Amino acid sequence: MNNNVNISDRGSKSLIRFVISELKPRGKIFTPFNIISGLIILLSLVILVIRFAKGLGSVADASQLHPWGLWISFNVITGVAFAGGAYVLTFMVYILNMKKYHSIVRMTVLWGFLAYSFYAGALILDLGRPWNIINPIIGNSFGLSSVLFLVAWHFILYIIAQFIEFSPAIAEWLEAKRLRKILVSLTIGTVIFGITLSVLHQSGLGALFMMAKAKIHPLWYSEFLPILFLISSIFAGLSIIIVVGSICQKVFKNQLKSDYGDSYKNIVFGFAKICAVAMFVYLFLRLLVLIHSQQWALINTHIGYWFLLEILGFVLVPFIFFIYGFKHRSMLLIHIASIMTIIGIILNRLNVSMIAYLWNDPLAHYPTWMEIVVSVSVILAQIWIFRWIIYRMPILRKSPDWVPEDEEK
Amino acid sequence: MSINRRDFIKTIGIAGVTLTVGNELLAAPKKEEKEIEFSGILIDTTLCIGCRTCEHVCAETNGLPDTSDEETGSNRQPTEKQLCVINTFNVDGNEIFVKKQCMHCNQPACATGCLTKAMKKTDEGPVIWTANKCMGCRFCMINCPFDIPKFEYHSPNPKIQKCKMCFERLKEGKKPACVENCPAEAAIFGKRRDLIEIAKARIYAEPDKYYHHIYGENEVGGTGVLYLASVPFEKLGFKTNLGATPYPEYSKEFLYAVPVIFTVLPALLLGMHSASKSENNKIEKEESYE
């Protein structure tokens, strides 16, 4: 689109002019998606004004027994699991040197970076006293014994790490050749740092609930919760990348190289295999936990059937679909499996943090419609920024010609 | 108590490595030297007459609305406007009154989970909350096994509300308001160690009157507020399934693993990276020979 514009010898003034020109929207503005999502985002802005003026209870289900509502349970705890694709893929590409997956790395890291940024943002919306958010960061009061402290710090550091991993694309966009060279040299270091951070905070999200031992239903609570969260983030992240990648392939056709379709199929088959392996380990561990806890009797209760639905319906079935899809080279089956896996992860995270949390509380708690609107608009805003970047920076399309061939992406 | 305290500090010290900030670990033992005796409250439910003076003075002391005309029940919970409540239980035809408020655990889960140290166990014994540190994440509410911390959902400047054992009064040398004003002397204030002695003496002196258990002596690693009763505690709405393990223990295993992973994993990843890289180079070279 703007590829034919010559902007190689750009001064700082023209750089600003270039960025401003890039801020303008591309393509049709009034598409159905834009109108609907725009309205939802506007509505959620109104809701947020009320929330900050009158307190959290004016818009959210204000429950003293369920202190964490939809914004934490869905956007933060579930959303971060879905952002796990970035660490898995950077591990495969940069650590194991699997060149096949190189073409999708940027998109995945971008998705991860935006997911973390927006979901950390959702966390701030949920904080009762957000003006004190600086306290655990600047060190005047480090709560070092807190798992949440670890998770908060790892979020911040990982957002920075992902930004650096992604930054060569920005340098290519701005035609900043020397900067790009420096940023590319940082990649491997930040990848190693980022994977370590991810392993720790993906499991850390599970460890958040370790002290809620007496509150979470025994079918979900176990000491293995951190490990289960970590393993499930592998197939959660890859499933969402399969879905997002396939949507991108349809929506951003003009951005793609002509041979992208075939290599993309190969990538998806590879992902399906990894998902199946990770899901096998996950299922095995959950079975082990169940046997260990010796709580078979609990299965034959209402919440026990709910547990079976999560495990059998949305882990075991997509697991089988992934294997079949991989064996018979069926993109359709793999897509169905990915969507089911995504539903299964949402179920699992919501179960641990909301549904099976104080399951015996006689008062039922449901998120308000206002909470749901804000939750959805956080994701919509993420998609808007994602699209804006893909149209402008070399994420799916080829890097500019001045980028050395072997360094591309 | 000093042993419990030491364990607690140890947990915090180990957790210091959360960010591989090694010096936190070295700094911890200094604190350990101090011998600390926590204060607490012993509540003898056999003496309580259910007059609810404690509720009244508690509201007065903390500047909260007076709710003493509210009806009692068996499942009232402390709220953000009412830091202690009296519940009435009917056991075998006898009315038994139980005061409910923060238990002031020896190793509180709320303080362990607090990422800004807004919730903290003081050396004196009370667990208190500091407004200018708290960021309102409500993780203390998730962690508390007794569901005590309450959040002001309907305020733009919300606070966490819970009993602070009248920490300000203690510093002035006074007793907590509820203890001082209890007409039946059902609640007594003192060093936790002494309170356990008193409670045991009462059980020994009148073994038929009391149920032989001091609630809070061992629950969740020991609590600052201790209870005596004439009937089993589960009949009085107490949680009896919490175990004697101090709550920080549950997340300790994870926190122990953090520094290990933080040192081992990057080295491993770097090794894998260079191994796979040289492997690839070799293949490329071999290909170019052909």
Side-chain angles (χ1 to χ4, degrees):
Chain A
M1 297 175 122
N2 69 317
N3 282 355
N4 44 8
V5 185
N6 186 12
I7 36 172
S8 52
D9 276 322
R10 209 192 285 121
S12 62
K13 220 174 205 174
S14 67
L15 182 73
I16 293 166
R17 216 175 302 142
F18 168 70
V19 173
I20 289 171
S21 77
E22 289 280 87
L23 284 177
K24 283 176 203 151
R26 297 269 169 84
K28 270 210 306 201
I29 296 175
F30 294 105
T31 59
F33 172 79
N34 282 2
I35 294 170
I36 295 169
S37 60
L39 286 175
I40 294 175
I41 291 172
L42 276 180
L43 181 60
S44 79
L45 288 178
V46 176
I47 293 168
L48 288 176
V49 170
I50 302 171
R51 176 251 170 278
F52 281 106
K54 290 191 165 174
L56 204 51
S58 55
V59 300
D61 175 48
S63 164
Q64 300 290 0
L65 287 178
H66 288 79
W68 283 353
L70 197 65
W71 299 347
I72 297 288
S73 293
F74 182 67
N75 290 87
V76 181
I77 289 167
T78 314
V80 166
F82 288 133
Y87 85 90
V88 178
L89 201 60
T90 52
F91 174 71
M92 288 157 64
V93 171
Y94 294 107
I95 305 298
L96 298 182
N97 256 315
M98 296 172 153
K99 294 231 162 74
K100 176 172 137 187
Y101 300 97
H102 215 153
S103 60
I104 203 169
V105 156
R106 266 196 188 166
M107 191 204 81
T108 311
V109 172
L110 175 64
W111 180 266
F113 168 67
L114 292 177
Y116 273 91
S117 310
F118 276 89
Y119 305 158
L123 194 106
I124 293 169
L125 300 179
D126 195 72
L127 288 182
R129 308 168 65 81
W131 50 91
N132 281 337
I133 195 168
I134 202 77
N135 279 348
I137 303 166
I138 56 171
N140 59 344
S141 43
F142 274 1
L144 293 163
S145 58
S146 172
V147 177
L148 192 60
F149 177 79
L150 170 130
V151 171
W153 261 96
H154 284 197
F155 270 22
I156 298 167
L157 294 175
Y158 191 50
I159 288 175
I160 297 169
Q162 279 190 318
F163 183 74
I164 296 171
E165 283 170 25
F166 174 70
S167 61
I170 302 177
E172 285 169 22
W173 173 56
L174 297 173
E175 305 267 311
K177 296 181 188 175
R178 206 174 304 155
L179 184 66
R180 185 190 175 278
K181 226 176 184 175
I182 299 167
L183 293 172
V184 166
S185 70
L186 294 175
T187 301
I188 189 67
T190 47
V191 162
I192 289 174
F193 189 51
I195 294 168
T196 312
L197 289 171
S198 291
V199 165
L200 286 171
H201 72 242
Q202 291 286 2
S203 52
L205 286 174
L208 284 181
F209 295 97
M210 294 322 285
M211 282 198 281
K213 185 178 167 62
K215 300 185 191 177
I216 296 173
H217 192 278
L219 284 175
W220 279 275
Y221 182 92
S222 80
E223 307 90 272
F224 288 97
L225 215 47
I227 294 168
L228 291 172
F229 267 48
L230 176 65
I231 296 172
S232 55
S233 76
I234 295 172
F235 56 79
L238 291 181
S239 296
I240 206 104
I241 291 305
I242 292 174
V243 172
V244 172
S246 297
I247 294 173
C248 282
Q249 220 195 348
K250 292 254 151 57
V251 177
F252 305 109
K253 250 188 198 136
N254 54 353
Q255 295 276 327
L256 299 168
K257 286 172 268 183
S258 52
D259 62 337
Y260 187 79
D262 291 334
S263 67
Y264 179 71
K265 267 190 188 163
N266 260 326
I267 288 172
V268 170
F269 292 137
F271 282 174
K273 202 157 64 170
I274 299 164
C275 280
V277 172
M279 287 169 106
F280 176 76
V281 175
Y282 180 74
L283 280 168
F284 183 76
L285 255 180
R286 289 203 72 165
L287 184 69
L288 212 65
V289 168
L290 188 66
I291 294 168
H292 249 264
S293 65
Q294 295 185 322
Q295 272 152 338
W296 297 104
L298 290 173
I299 298 270
N300 198 15
T301 59
H302 282 295
I303 199 151
Y305 304 146
W306 182 244
F307 172 81
L308 286 182
L309 179 74
E310 181 202 314
I311 296 289
L312 301 180
F314 292 96
V315 188
L316 185 67
V317 172
F319 162 68
I320 295 167
F321 281 10
F322 270 129
I323 295 176
Y324 262 81
F326 170 72
K327 269 197 164 166
H328 301 284
R329 304 263 136 184
S330 161
M331 286 293 269
L332 178 70
L333 213 50
I334 291 174
H335 280 143
I336 294 172
S338 304
I339 292 167
M340 288 180 77
T341 306
I342 290 167
I343 296 170
I345 292 294
I346 295 174
L347 273 183
N348 175 254
R349 297 304 195 263
L350 291 188
N351 276 337
V352 171
S353 61
M354 282 179 110
I355 298 165
Y357 180 93
L358 286 181
W359 76 102
N360 47 5
D361 179 12
L363 298 168
H365 291 280
Y366 300 103
T368 64
W369 66 268
M370 291 185 276
E371 276 179 279
I372 296 171
V373 168
V374 174
S375 270
V376 170
S377 69
V378 168
I379 295 166
L380 290 175
Q382 183 202 349
I383 293 172
W384 275 36
I385 303 289
F386 185 69
R387 185 179 60 174
W388 185 88
I389 292 175
I390 285 201
Y391 271 135
R392 281 153 188 82
M393 298 179 197
I395 309 298
L396 295 172
R397 67 164 181 262
K398 262 175 83 74
S399 296
D401 295 335
W402 53 267
V403 173
E405 192 94 355
D406 58 324
E407 274 184 26
E408 255 185 43
K409 286 187 182 169
Chain B
M1 247 64 53
S2 56
I3 291 165
N4 290 340
R5 178 76 186 171
R6 196 164 295 159
D7 274 349
F8 179 51
I9 289 164
K10 226 191 268 170
T11 319
I12 290 183
I14 293 300
V17 210
T18 316
L19 268 168
T20 54
V21 192
N23 55 348
E24 287 293 332
L25 192 63
L26 301 171
K30 276 184 213 156
K31 253 188 173 174
E32 214 176 287
E33 309 292 317
K34 263 196 282 177
E35 278 293 315
I36 295 158
E37 281 267 343
F38 290 145
S39 295
I41 297 172
L42 171 65
I43 297 172
D44 191 336
T45 58
T46 62
L47 299 177
C48 180
I49 53 171
C51 66
R52 297 168 73 192
T53 310
C54 48
E55 278 187 29
H56 179 72
V57 294
C58 177
E60 204 175 57
T61 313
N62 291 293
L64 295 166
D66 187 12
T67 48
S68 49
D69 52 343
E70 191 185 282
E71 257 182 63
T72 52
S74 62
N75 193 26
R76 291 164 77 221
Q77 301 295 327
T79 68
E80 71 272 28
K81 294 193 182 88
Q82 204 175 8
L83 309 186
C84 80
V85 291
I86 294 280
N87 280 323
T88 313
F89 294 89
N90 220 317
V91 184
D92 309 326
N94 296 321
E95 270 200 328
I96 299 174
F97 305 101
V98 179
K99 182 171 177 284
K100 185 166 185 180
Q101 74 298 303
C102 174
M103 298 292 286
H104 299 282
C105 307
N106 289 347
Q107 300 184 52
C110 58
T112 308
C114 184
L115 77 167
T116 59
K117 282 189 182 162
M119 198 66 91
K120 119 182 167 203
K121 178 81 175 168
T122 57
D123 290 349
E124 290 82 356
V127 177
I128 60 163
W129 176 82
T130 320
N132 60 10
K133 289 191 172 177
C134 175
M135 51 190 242
C137 69
R138 310 191 291 287
F139 193 39
C140 50
M141 299 166 73
I142 296 271
N143 289 330
C144 176
F146 303 102
D147 291 314
I148 292 299
K150 295 287 147 69
F151 180 74
E152 293 176 340
Y153 274 104
H154 291 278
S155 162
N157 182 8
K159 291 195 271 294
I160 294 282
Q161 289 284 11
K162 65 178 270 306
C163 161
K164 20 195 176 297
M165 216 198 266
C166 291
F167 186 57
E168 286 86 15
R169 286 174 60 96
L170 296 196
K171 279 199 292 195
E172 293 166 16
K174 293 189 215 158
K175 290 176 183 174
C178 56
V179 175
E180 186 150 301
N181 293 290
C182 181
E185 290 185 13
I188 46 177
F189 174 78
K191 295 290 175 207
R192 189 175 177 271
R193 204 191 299 264
D194 302 336
L195 294 177
I196 289 173
E197 298 284 312
I198 294 169
K200 280 182 180 162
R202 284 188 190 178
I203 293 174
Y204 292 148
E206 292 174 273
D208 295 335
K209 181 182 168 190
Y210 287 103
Y211 177 66
H212 290 217
H213 181 75
I214 307 168
Y215 190 89
E217 186 185 6
N218 297 315
E219 274 76 9
V220 299
T223 61
V225 179
L226 304 158
Y227 286 91
L228 282 175
S230 55
V231 297
F233 283 96
E234 54 266 28
K235 290 186 180 171
L236 301 176
F238 285 86
K239 288 185 181 173
T240 48
N241 60 346
L242 297 175
T245 312
Y247 259 47
E249 296 287 326
Y250 293 121
S251 61
K252 205 160 86 175
E253 275 168 41
F254 175 76
L255 291 172
Y256 272 135
V258 170
V260 179
I261 291 173
F262 224 111
T263 43
V264 172
L265 192 57
L268 197 68
L269 291 173
L270 198 60
M272 287 165 94
H273 168 67
S274 37
S276 70
K277 205 170 145 193
S278 55
E279 194 88 340
N280 273 4
N281 285 349
K282 221 186 268 170
I283 293 166
E284 270 163 31
K285 259 184 207 158
E286 275 165 13
E287 275 170 357
S288 66
Y289 279 128
E290 289 161 9

